[in-house]
Amino acid sequence: MKWKQQILGMEAYKPGKPIEEVQREFGLDEVIKLASNENPFGFSPKVKAFLAQDDSHHEIYPDGYAQNLRTVVANFVGVHEEQLIFGNGSDDLIAILTRALLAPGRNTVMATPSFSQYAHNAQIEGAEIREVPLVDGNHDLDGMLAQIDDNTAIVWVCTPNNPTGGIVPAKALQAFLAKVPQDVLVVLDEAYYEYVDNEAHENTVPYLEQYPNIIILRTFSKAYGLAGFRVGYGIAHADVIAQLDPVRAPFNNTVLSHKVAAIAMGDQQFIEECRQKNKAGRAQYIAFCEQHNLHYFESETNFILFNVQADSNVVFQELMKRGFIIRSGAALGLPGYIRVTIGTEAQNAKFLEKLTEVLVAQGVFA
């Protein structure tokens, strides 16, 4: 086979073990997954009510233009309909961007560690990957600027950043955007936008007026609780969208996902309730870390990354035996740390009880 040289030896994305597999492996009745930053409170009750009586015609292709959802999102975000592109999750949009802009001889700049799919898709396209280490968990914007040259096509800014959880403050972000060449696309990946309550953060949609070379990625997979429906969207100037849209697969969302995403966006009371519950849950973890002098990164998301002063792969495995699936920092470029999705109050309390048990056994706690 005449495979692309750059994909030889690549590994597929490895999601965490599914709940059912962990139950079988360890003989557990209950397993709580806190690994993939899903919403532990589910999705809007309005979506549940709709699904109970839905009579969609699934034998018919969905609207490739996503007109109904497009109108809802455009009105909510405050942009023209032609400024939107929809993807099968944000992952699909990242693949579309790299396919449209990256190739051998071009390069892309990103922080590290950050979302793995930036580098993964860039490698598939044969582009040079320029990674700039985080500083104290935050983007080194000056370092990223220094890596941009005439062959740079995309710069990725993940805010809040996955896996560290911190934002790029508005003033710093605008100063950065003012220095990026206009022919370089800056991707502002805002998958956790709805969870942010830091005063240094701003809605970036108005930035489009001043910086036509940005695209903002958001998703229905996190706060909206619709990860299984796979809907992400990008916001940019209409001419940017016009260049990207031919790269998009014709029917990359489903009939049902269009409908439920539109309904979910209309229930902002649910989103606010989730935000407040998440904030309270985050405080549970912060209190635990501070009580035990464990370093943690300030998070504006529904997850927290903190040091366990032990082999994070061992901690990961021991927690699985006790019914909790998390992410080991070793898989994220931060050995010794674990990334934990913030669950319900009860889930968080039970998890911290089991983590304490593990860390006592590891000799971290007396």
Side-chain angles (χ1 to χ4, degrees):
M1 298 290 183
K2 299 180 179 64
W3 303 111
K4 286 183 175 181
Q5 285 296 117
Q6 58 265 28
I7 73 166
L8 299 179
M10 285 186 71
E11 293 186 359
Y13 179 79
K14 293 181 179 178
K17 285 188 177 182
I19 289 173
E20 295 78 11
E21 183 179 340
V22 175
Q23 285 179 311
R24 286 194 302 270
E25 184 176 349
F26 298 107
L28 299 168
D29 293 327
E30 181 186 29
V31 171
I32 297 172
K33 183 185 176 189
L34 300 175
S36 300
N37 310 330
E38 295 133 334
N39 188 338
F41 307 106
F43 46 75
S44 166
K46 293 182 179 180
V47 171
K48 291 181 182 179
F50 166 76
L51 291 173
Q53 52 80 47
D54 173 52
D55 59 353
S56 298
H57 291 280
H58 296 289
E59 74 279 9
I60 298 174
Y61 283 110
D63 171 13
Y65 192 63
Q67 182 61 68
N68 180 59
L69 178 59
R70 182 178 298 273
T71 300
V72 169
V73 175
N75 290 338
F76 180 79
V77 174
V79 296
H80 297 295
E81 292 185 2
E82 60 269 24
Q83 288 183 257
L84 296 171
I85 185 171
F86 292 92
N88 188 19
S90 293
D91 304 289
D92 185 28
L93 295 171
I94 291 167
I96 289 169
L97 288 164
T98 55
R99 188 178 181 191
L101 287 159
L102 297 181
R106 293 185 179 176
N107 68 69
T108 180
V109 177
M110 64 197 70
T112 186
S114 193
F115 188 45
S116 62
Q117 293 304 288
Y118 310 148
H120 182 88
N121 282 280
Q123 184 176 344
I124 291 171
E125 300 305 327
E128 178 191 353
I129 300 164
R130 298 183 175 181
E131 296 181 308
V132 179
L134 299 174
V135 177
D136 298 326
N138 300 308
H139 283 61
D140 177 5
L141 297 179
D142 289 337
M144 293 173 71
L145 282 169
Q147 290 296 319
I148 297 173
D149 62 20
D150 290 343
N151 295 317
T152 304
I154 304 177
V155 175
W156 307 87
V157 179
C158 189
T159 178
N161 186 50
N162 181 7
T164 50
I167 61 163
V168 177
K171 288 184 179 179
L173 180 57
Q174 290 202 62
F176 173 76
L177 293 173
K179 296 175 183 176
V180 176
Q182 291 292 298
D183 64 347
V184 175
L185 183 70
V186 180
V187 181
L188 303 180
D189 188 347
E190 299 182 351
Y192 300 92
Y193 172 80
E194 290 80 11
Y195 288 110
V196 180
D197 57 16
N198 191 317
E199 292 181 356
H201 183 264
E202 290 181 345
N203 176 14
T204 53
V205 173
Y207 293 7
L208 288 165
E209 296 180 13
Q210 188 173 357
Y211 308 108
N213 59 321
I214 67 173
I215 183 169
I216 302 158
L217 304 186
R218 294 181 183 170
T219 183
F220 286 92
S221 295
K222 304 303 181 184
Y224 286 96
L226 299 178
F229 287 97
R230 311 306 300 126
V231 185
Y233 60 99
I235 313 163
H237 266 248
D239 55 350
V240 172
I241 298 298
Q243 292 297 321
L244 292 172
D245 221 18
V247 184
R248 179 182 59 83
F251 306 108
N252 60 337
N253 296 125
T254 67
V255 171
L256 199 54
S257 63
H258 285 165
K259 291 181 178 180
V260 298
I263 294 167
M265 184 161 268
D267 191 357
Q268 288 303 305
Q269 180 180 342
F270 173 77
I271 297 300
E272 181 58 30
E273 290 171 357
C274 291
R275 183 186 293 113
Q276 294 305 320
K277 291 176 182 177
N278 181 75
K279 188 175 181 179
R282 191 163 56 208
Q284 287 178 270
Y285 284 93
I286 291 172
F288 178 86
C289 290
E290 292 183 346
Q291 177 187 351
H292 295 288
N293 294 314
L294 301 176
H295 176 262
Y296 65 93
F297 290 97
E298 295 283 351
S299 176
E300 294 290 335
T301 67
N302 68 334
F303 63 81
I304 187 165
L305 179 74
F306 60 98
N307 194 298
V308 288
Q309 299 178 7
D311 186 325
S312 55
N313 285 338
V314 172
V315 172
F316 161 79
Q317 192 69 22
E318 290 300 315
L319 285 167
M320 251 200 317
K321 292 178 183 177
R322 291 162 173 81
F324 284 91
I325 307 172
I326 59 157
R327 287 297 299 272
S328 167
L332 304 169
L334 288 158
Y337 285 76
I338 59 173
R339 192 192 69 189
V340 185
T341 302
I342 297 165
T344 66
E345 181 180 3
Q347 288 174 341
N348 299 334
K350 187 174 181 180
F351 170 79
L352 292 172
E353 176 187 327
K354 295 300 181 182
L355 176 60
T356 299
E357 184 180 301
V358 171
L359 295 183
V360 168
Q362 294 298 309
V364 178
F365 296 166

